[in-house]
Amino acid sequence: MAKSFRGGVHPDDRKRLTAAKAIEVAPLPEKVVIPTRQHIGAPCTPVVKVGDLVKKGQVIAEAQAFVSSPVHASLSGKVVEIADYPHPVFGFCPSVVIESDGADEWVEGLPLSRDWRALEADALKDIVRQAGIVGMGGATFPTHVKLAPPPEKPIDAFILNGAECEPYLTADHRVMLEATEKVVTGMRIVMKLLGVAKGFIGIEENKPDAIAAMVAATKGTGITVVPLKTKYPQGAEKTLIKVILDREVPSGGLPMDVGAVVQNVGTMVAVADAVVSGLPLVERVATVTGGAIAEPKNLLLRVGTTFAQAVELCGGFAAPPAKLIMGGPMMGMAQCRLDVPVIKGTSGILALSAADVNAGEERSCIRCGRCVDACPMGLVPSMLSILGQRGNFQMAKEEYDLLDCVECGSCVYVCPAKRNIVHYVKYLKAQNAAAAAKK
């Protein structure tokens, strides 16, 4: 029987637009705009200058802090500009612009061939760090940091998040079908690195072909594939840990507090490529979809390709987009322009038509309690939204567990008053962070 959790919602997932479509390798772009910041943590410092000739996989911006991740050229060519460019998360960001030379040559020595079984844990961690790998589900937390818990937080279980519970997105689904061995290899590398024997892959039951592929590929490895009920937000870290391990991450805590580490499917492919072949993270699979897209697809895109180029590869717009989002409709980030680049965390480019969007004016809370029933964290979202309007972050934090909200948007989905509850929560968290910084 598929495992589940309290609360959550079951929106029409619209995955039928791309679920059966194989990943297409996008043509080599003529130019890429690569931001020096594609992760949570400190921005990187450019180490190339205008006029330099670079190869694919060459470091073009170095990390200066532990919570950071280096950035590499995604094609070979000439650096023609280093300047502020639009960014899908940070507004504007210093970026390295590279014009392709058409050769698409790797930096000298790559790709290589390496036996990961012969490498020690510290060597594996260093390879992951140097390859610039971050969480590719959208969070973009540097992976080497997540794989280095302090000694007082021993890890005994690793979970691979194959749920992909966001509507519309099918990139992880296709990766599990088309890069099955790499996903399993990446997972085994991470399990060795963490020193854990227990590994789990959580996959929603609406992907039976992926479940079958993973069960076949993990035979004899000690990895267990766990079918999950199709329900949003099944893929949230805390939800996965509770459902699969029956462990509850404490309020304000992290997965490491209950001995667990969770990673994304695409991240495991990046780990396998880095450790086995020496390749840094310079491309990713993204789902380009929505009612406004002429021909939705799953595309393998170079980092630095613009959203406009990706949409063009899908035949352009079939209808004027009413809303443009990076990621899924529940937790993705709204965009106001198409000249932003694909970054390491771009799991999808979603262009919704007017018919897709349930727009309407926000009204006062009617205390119906639907948001309380839907909240997977057991919170009272209606009160958080009211306290958000009042700017009372202290009461929200102390009496209504503000910091436990995972911002999944289930409350917004069911709210008949169309209240922007997640926006209020983000506002309250920002207020709380600002107050903490002053202390």
Side-chain angles (χ1 to χ4, degrees):
M1 183 177 177
K3 294 193 172 187
S4 187
F5 59 96
R6 175 204 175 279
V9 294
H10 190 162
D12 179 0
D13 62 27
R14 311 281 177 97
K15 292 178 184 288
R16 56 187 175 276
L17 296 174
T18 53
K21 293 185 177 179
I23 299 165
E24 285 187 24
V25 179
L28 183 67
E30 294 180 357
K31 184 177 78 173
V32 288
V33 179
I34 304 178
T36 57
R37 188 178 184 188
Q38 302 185 43
H39 49 269
I40 290 174
C44 294
T45 303
V47 292
V48 292
K49 60 184 184 300
V50 173
D52 282 357
L53 300 178
V54 297
K55 300 291 188 184
K56 182 168 62 170
Q58 179 176 333
V59 175
I60 58 173
E62 286 186 342
Q64 305 292 325
F66 178 60
V67 185
S68 186
S69 188
V71 177
H72 303 74
S74 60
L75 48 70
S76 61
K78 184 177 182 179
V79 177
V80 296
E81 189 179 14
I82 300 174
D84 281 353
Y85 266 81
H87 191 287
V89 178
F90 302 115
F92 279 81
C93 174
S95 304
V96 178
V97 183
I98 304 172
E99 282 186 354
S100 171
D101 60 9
D104 199 30
E105 291 179 334
W106 283 103
V107 69
E108 186 177 353
L110 297 183
L112 49 77
S113 180
R114 198 157 41 196
D115 180 6
W116 63 269
R117 298 171 187 81
L119 297 171
E120 300 295 330
D122 285 345
L124 294 171
K125 286 179 192 174
D126 196 47
I127 291 171
V128 170
R129 182 186 61 79
Q130 291 186 36
I133 299 173
V134 303
M136 295 173 70
T140 68
F141 197 81
T143 300
H144 69 275
V145 178
K146 214 169 177 181
L147 299 181
E152 66 272 20
K153 305 283 186 184
I155 304 298
D156 68 353
F158 175 70
I159 298 175
L160 178 62
N161 180 3
E164 199 169 46
C165 58
E166 274 271 8
Y168 287 97
L169 302 186
T170 57
D172 284 354
H173 183 184
R174 295 307 311 181
V175 168
M176 286 189 283
L177 292 177
E178 300 178 45
T180 313
E181 291 300 326
K182 278 190 181 181
V183 173
V184 175
T185 298
M187 188 170 176
R188 294 179 69 191
I189 290 170
V190 169
M191 289 172 65
K192 176 178 181 180
L193 188 158
L194 291 169
V196 303
K198 291 188 287 189
F200 304 88
I201 306 176
I203 306 174
E204 284 192 338
E205 59 185 354
N206 63 351
K207 307 174 190 65
D209 48 359
I211 292 173
M214 284 298 161
V215 167
T218 53
K219 278 183 181 175
T221 63
I223 295 171
T224 303
V225 177
V226 183
L228 306 170
K229 185 173 181 179
T230 302
K231 190 167 70 166
Y232 181 87
Q234 189 71 260
E237 272 192 345
K238 292 181 179 179
T239 304
L240 270 180
I241 292 169
K242 176 63 178 173
V243 169
I244 294 178
L245 301 178
D246 195 22
R247 300 176 188 174
E248 194 153 331
V249 179
S251 178
L254 296 169
M256 72 171 83
D257 293 321
V258 293
V261 167
V262 182
Q263 290 282 355
N264 162 269
V265 167
T267 311
M268 291 303 94
V269 172
V271 167
D273 281 340
V275 173
V276 176
S277 304
L279 304 181
L281 176 52
V282 297
E283 61 187 9
R284 68 153 301 141
V285 178
T287 306
V288 184
T289 185
I293 296 291
E295 188 183 357
K297 295 180 178 179
N298 297 297
L299 294 175
L300 180 62
L301 296 161
R302 302 293 175 97
V303 169
T305 303
T306 65
F307 281 24
Q309 291 170 314
V311 170
E312 194 60 30
L313 291 170
C314 295
F317 291 122
K323 196 164 189 177
L324 183 67
I325 299 171
M326 183 179 81
M330 303 297 279
M331 292 188 74
M333 299 198 70
Q335 305 293 316
C336 61
R337 53 199 303 167
L338 282 167
D339 57 352
V340 292
V342 170
I343 60 174
K344 298 173 184 177
T346 305
S347 56
I349 299 172
L350 181 58
L352 299 175
S353 66
D356 295 329
V357 178
N358 181 22
E361 189 173 339
E362 179 181 282
R363 302 188 299 275
S364 297
C365 175
I366 59 174
R367 269 75 167 179
C368 65
R370 294 185 193 178
C371 60
V372 178
D373 291 338
C375 181
M377 302 307 296
L379 305 179
V380 185
S382 53
M383 277 307 301
L384 290 174
S385 76
I386 291 168
L387 292 171
Q389 283 182 304
R390 298 172 181 170
N392 193 339
F393 73 91
Q394 285 181 317
M395 181 178 285
K397 177 182 175 184
E398 293 168 6
E399 299 183 23
Y400 292 94
D401 298 319
L402 168 69
L403 300 184
D404 284 348
C405 176
V406 296
E407 304 173 18
C408 67
S410 295
C411 51
V412 178
Y413 180 77
V414 299
C415 179
K418 299 186 183 303
R419 293 181 61 76
N420 298 307
I421 301 171
V422 173
H423 289 198
Y424 290 124
V425 167
K426 288 178 183 288
Y427 173 63
L428 289 168
K429 286 183 177 178
Q431 276 196 320
N432 179 64
K438 289 180 182 177
K439 292 181 180 176

